[in-house]
Amino acid sequence: MARPQTDIEAGREALIDLVVELIEERGTTNLTVAELAARAQMSPANLYRYFESKDALIEAVAERWFQPKVAIMEEVIASDLSPRRKMFEFFARRFALMKAEWERDPVAFANYVELGKENFELVRSYVDLGDHYLAMIIGEAMAEGAFAGLSIDEALSLINQMVSVYANIGVMEMVMARLTVDKLAMIIDAIFDGLSATDRGAKAVKGLRAA
């Protein structure tokens, strides 16, 4: 007889809890299925009743970590804020959440960064989702005259580069102590006030000069 779905879901959540516990306790993401099964007091075969592979388990851990960040993006997108304020909150609210996680446990935060690097293909969909939502905000801004002469893809690429330190957790981790929401607000204002395809002199310089 098949287990009730609620039982399966409870088992999955318990295993995700266990992986999070081990990552934060041991300071490593190098976990094996045999180790996880032993810690959960079950056989590896029984563990596979909840997750078909270690990748599927790691993907579930990533889903839990990203879920509140995705919720923030969806709330911002659905809001009636202006595009400028919407873009600020799109980055600022997620950054504030991640900085709080870093302050709570910098070592655990570093382990999640490493887990993401090791399993980037499993978390790529969250990166793509962030780009999708950001492109929606850019489109709204363009409808109001922002980012003249740029395509949505061009603006998306430029904005991602300009705010990567507030969105890319690997970069963020290295300079977290120097990052603030106030600085981010100034960056967003600079983006809206100045980002366009217009050459204001920098590109017109012929060649590069040695110092």
Side-chain angles (χ1 to χ4, degrees):
M1 178 182 293
R3 293 187 178 191
Q5 186 64 26
T6 53
D7 189 26
I8 293 293
E9 291 171 354
R12 286 170 59 89
E13 289 301 311
L15 286 168
I16 295 170
D17 287 341
L18 180 58
V19 173
V20 170
E21 178 183 309
L22 286 170
I23 289 173
E24 298 191 359
E25 172 188 304
R26 292 177 37 189
T28 180
T29 59
N30 187 24
L31 308 173
T32 67
V33 169
E35 179 182 15
L36 293 172
R39 185 69 174 259
Q41 298 183 326
M42 64 174 64
S43 68
N46 198 32
L47 188 149
Y48 286 124
R49 299 180 71 176
Y50 298 98
F51 292 98
E52 63 184 18
S53 65
K54 180 182 175 182
D55 281 354
L57 177 53
I58 295 300
E59 188 171 7
V61 172
E63 181 179 1
R64 177 184 288 185
W65 194 84
F66 278 106
Q67 191 280 326
K69 288 81 172 175
V70 172
I72 285 171
M73 291 191 293
E74 291 176 345
E75 288 171 7
V76 171
I77 289 297
S79 73
D80 58 0
L81 297 169
S82 68
R84 182 186 297 244
R85 182 68 191 188
K86 191 173 285 190
M87 186 178 293
F88 169 69
E89 294 214 6
F90 180 79
F91 289 109
R93 290 179 57 189
R94 285 182 296 150
F95 164 68
L97 179 61
M98 287 186 279
K99 187 165 187 177
E101 292 175 350
W102 174 78
E103 289 172 340
R104 178 183 64 83
D105 192 336
V107 174
F109 189 90
N111 289 331
Y112 284 115
V113 171
E114 190 61 30
L115 188 67
K117 290 178 181 177
E118 292 172 357
N119 300 276
F120 181 72
E121 289 306 315
L122 298 180
V123 301
R124 181 188 291 274
S125 61
Y126 296 101
V127 177
D128 293 341
L129 182 62
D131 280 350
H132 169 71
Y133 284 143
L134 179 55
M136 291 175 65
I137 297 173
I138 291 169
E140 291 181 21
M142 286 181 167
E144 295 185 1
F147 317 136
L150 296 173
S151 68
I152 289 181
D153 284 345
E154 288 170 331
L156 176 68
S157 178
L158 288 166
I159 292 168
N160 273 332
Q161 290 179 53
M162 296 170 78
V163 300
S164 64
V165 73
Y166 285 93
N168 183 316
I169 62 171
V171 179
M172 186 190 303
E173 180 200 9
M174 294 186 290
V175 292
M176 186 73 85
R178 300 199 296 275
L179 301 179
T180 70
V181 169
D182 288 343
K183 289 179 180 178
L184 174 61
M186 288 187 278
I187 292 170
I188 297 300
D189 275 338
I191 288 171
F192 271 82
D193 292 342
L195 184 60
S196 73
T198 302
D199 175 18
R200 298 179 179 85
K203 193 167 69 172
V205 175
K206 304 299 184 183
L208 301 176
R209 299 184 182 182

